[in-house]
């Protein structure tokens, strides 16, 4: 007698096969979205940097290197006694900068070079003290009598050397569209912070060309951006009818905003008293040009530019009032990063669904 098999194989109908496959695919998409959310949340806290920085000390104190305890800002006496100059690493119109050493830590000592610009120097010190945050280079000490400022040292230097840094073998892995977009996000985060700072709406005036902008920021070893030079940071106070002017000379070129250029034509010589003031939207005008530098020409950067086209076009509107706020630009940048990371993680998902 023929034995019957204990188990019969049941073939699923084509419709059920499709339904099961689609269910698995949807489950995979949901799982991936959850993982992507966790990654981006971590990114905004650590790489994108949350607003509160647990590494910061109370006002008037700093923490350096692996030391856990906070130390008070160094006084004139402490700087003269404990800080040793190593070499001059830069000089601008206002100050000379020295790579120095304090208790086996590399630090930066800045000293006034032009006594006529001491007000600018002291304004920069005032801003540095008041704006200490994750966006601003760390203050270690100062001496007003000797016009000296001591700050944290960042070996990668200013953003002018970004492309050279990304070609160093150690950092080549960072030379990707998403890392570069993250730097652009960091930059816009700094602008947003300045526009909504504890002191009010501040305008980054040392920004008349791209090279000048890049020189105002440092690249940290963990690839974040810190604003370093705060000498030219005037305050906009709309309620008091107070706008700003970046300097007393005529500004030219497409990099500066239209409202920063002499509005009365070549036939009328420039006069500072007749130059209309403006607000923080001059910073917004410059964002696309600075971000274009950050994005570079790596694989995928053109796709990023395409997604940022609309917000960048809005930044370049001639009427400052029609330009977006720094917060709106930042929100758009973050949405684009999220979208492109999701698409990179699951290419073709949209077509399959």
């Amino acid at each position: 007698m023929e034995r019957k098999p204990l188990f019969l194989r049941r073939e699923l109908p084509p419709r059920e096969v499709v339904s099961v496959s689609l269910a698995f695919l949807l489950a995979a998409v949901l799982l991936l979205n959850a993982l992507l959310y966790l990654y981006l949340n971590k990114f905004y806290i650590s790489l994108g940097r949350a607003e509160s920085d647990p590494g910061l000390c109370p006002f008037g104190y700093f923490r350096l290197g692996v030391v856990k305890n906070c130390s008070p800002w160094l006084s004139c006496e402490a700087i003269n006694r404990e800080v040793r100059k190593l070499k001059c690493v830069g000089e601008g119109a206002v100050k000379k900068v020295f790579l120095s050493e304090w208790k086996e830590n590399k630090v930066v000592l800045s000293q006034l070079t032009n006594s006529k610009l001491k007000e600018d120097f002291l304004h920069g010190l005032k801003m540095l003290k008041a704006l200490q945050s994750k966006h601003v280079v760390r203050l270690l000490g100062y001496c007003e009598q000797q016009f000296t400022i001591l700050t944290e040292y960042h070996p990668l230097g200013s953003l002018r050397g970004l492309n050279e840094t990304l070609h160093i073998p150690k950092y080549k892995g960072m030379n990707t569209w998403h890392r570069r977009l993250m730097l652009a996000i960091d930059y816009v985060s700094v602008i947003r912070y300045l526009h909504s700072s504890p002191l009010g709406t501040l305008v980054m005036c040392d920004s008349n060309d791209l090279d000048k902008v890049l020189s105002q920021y440092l690249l940290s070893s963990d690839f974040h951006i810190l604003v370093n030079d705060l000498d030219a940071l005037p305050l906009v106070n709309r309620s008091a009818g107070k706008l700003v002017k970046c300097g007393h000379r005529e500004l030219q070129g497409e990099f500066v905003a239209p409202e920063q250029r002499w509005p009365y034509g070549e036939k009328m010589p420039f006069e500072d008293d007749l130059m209309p003031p403006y607000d923080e939207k001059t910073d917004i005008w410059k964002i696309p040009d600075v971000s274009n530098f950050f994005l570079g020409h790596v694989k995928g950067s053109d796709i990023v530019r395409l997604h940022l086209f609309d917000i960048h076009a809005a930044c370049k509107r001639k009427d400052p009032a029609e330009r977006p706020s720094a917060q709106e630009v930042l929100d758009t940048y973050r949405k684009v990063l999220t979208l492109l990371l999701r698409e990179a993680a699951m290419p073709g998902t949209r077509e399959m669904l």
Side-chain angles (χ1 to χ4, degrees):
M1 186 171 63
E2 184 179 352
R3 297 180 61 186
K4 294 184 179 180
L6 295 177
F7 300 100
L8 295 175
R9 186 178 177 186
R10 178 172 173 264
E11 296 289 340
L12 292 174
R15 282 186 181 179
E16 290 189 30
V17 172
V18 172
S19 299
V20 171
S21 299
L22 187 59
F24 275 117
L25 182 59
L26 288 172
V29 170
L30 291 173
L31 177 61
L32 185 64
N33 281 338
L35 293 173
L36 187 61
Y37 171 81
L38 292 174
Y39 167 77
L40 288 171
N41 187 53
K42 183 180 178 182
F43 157 65
Y44 290 135
I45 293 175
S46 60
L47 296 178
R49 311 176 83 183
E51 285 303 317
S52 58
D53 187 345
L56 289 177
C57 295
F59 182 80
Y61 289 78
F62 71 91
R63 181 186 297 137
L64 193 61
V66 295
V67 178
K68 293 183 179 180
N69 297 327
C70 294
S71 302
W73 287 337
L74 300 186
S75 63
C76 297
E77 182 184 356
I79 291 174
N80 291 333
R81 185 180 66 248
E82 301 172 11
V83 177
R84 181 170 64 95
K85 291 181 185 177
L86 299 178
K87 63 177 180 178
C88 180
V89 293
E91 183 173 3
V94 178
K95 52 187 176 284
K96 186 178 287 188
V97 180
F98 297 90
L99 174 63
S100 305
E101 191 175 54
W102 175 73
K103 293 186 177 181
E104 299 183 353
N105 292 291
K106 294 287 193 305
V107 293
V108 174
L109 189 72
S110 302
Q111 292 184 317
L112 178 68
T113 55
N114 186 345
S115 60
K116 294 180 181 179
L117 298 174
K118 62 183 180 181
E119 289 187 10
D120 292 339
F121 184 91
L122 293 176
H123 177 74
L125 173 58
K126 177 185 175 182
M127 294 293 105
L128 192 56
K129 289 192 290 184
L131 298 176
Q132 283 295 290
S133 69
K134 61 186 174 47
H135 300 294
V136 179
V137 69
R138 190 169 300 170
L139 178 64
L140 309 180
Y142 63 91
C143 180
E144 286 193 34
Q145 297 94 313
Q146 299 173 9
F147 297 99
T148 299
I149 300 173
L150 193 70
T151 54
E152 189 175 15
Y153 171 64
H154 292 278
L156 296 182
S158 79
L159 289 177
R160 286 189 294 189
L162 174 63
N163 288 325
E164 289 75 11
T165 297
L166 289 172
H167 283 93
I168 297 173
K170 179 181 178 181
Y171 298 109
K172 277 189 174 180
M174 301 283 196
N175 197 17
T176 61
W177 68 262
H178 58 277
R179 279 287 179 175
R180 284 177 169 270
L181 179 54
M182 286 152 84
L183 287 175
I185 289 173
D186 249 10
Y187 168 72
V188 177
S189 296
V190 174
I191 299 299
R192 189 275 313 269
Y193 174 68
L194 294 178
H195 288 184
S196 57
S197 82
L199 301 177
T201 302
L202 299 168
V203 181
M204 193 65 177
C205 265
D206 261 345
S207 56
N208 297 336
D209 57 62
L210 179 61
D211 191 65
K212 187 64 174 174
V213 171
L214 299 176
S215 71
Q216 308 302 303
Y217 297 86
L218 296 172
L219 181 65
S220 68
S221 297
D222 59 349
F223 266 66
H224 286 302
I225 291 175
L226 301 166
V227 62
N228 181 51
D229 196 331
L230 303 174
D231 295 345
L233 212 59
L235 177 69
V236 170
N237 188 342
R238 282 194 183 81
S239 60
K242 182 181 178 182
L243 300 178
V244 304
K245 288 193 287 188
C246 291
H248 305 286
R249 294 179 295 178
E250 183 178 2
L251 301 179
Q252 297 177 326
E254 292 299 315
F255 188 82
V256 297
E259 63 271 24
Q260 292 184 281
R261 302 172 211 154
W262 180 243
Y264 303 116
E266 296 180 0
K267 293 182 179 180
M268 186 173 180
F270 176 81
E271 287 187 41
D272 184 42
D273 291 340
L274 298 178
M275 180 67 198
Y278 34 83
D279 62 18
E280 77 280 3
K281 291 298 184 74
T282 59
D283 290 333
I284 304 300
W285 171 274
K286 298 159 189 173
I287 286 176
D289 298 293
V290 181
S291 291
N292 187 54
F293 167 81
F294 285 131
L295 292 175
H297 300 285
V298 297
K299 182 180 179 181
S301 62
D302 286 342
I303 299 297
V304 178
R305 286 186 179 89
L306 184 63
H307 281 80
L308 295 177
F309 181 85
D310 289 341
I311 191 68
H312 282 174
C315 291
K316 290 293 187 180
R317 286 172 183 154
K318 189 171 182 179
D319 183 353
E322 294 181 359
R323 295 174 204 154
S325 66
Q327 183 65 61
E328 290 171 320
V329 178
L330 181 60
D331 291 342
T332 301
Y333 274 37
R334 286 175 170 169
K335 287 176 183 176
V336 168
L337 175 65
T338 303
L339 171 66
L340 293 179
L341 283 175
R342 183 182 292 125
E343 290 185 352
M346 290 200 70
T349 302
R350 188 182 301 164
E351 289 77 4
M352 286 187 289
L353 294 175

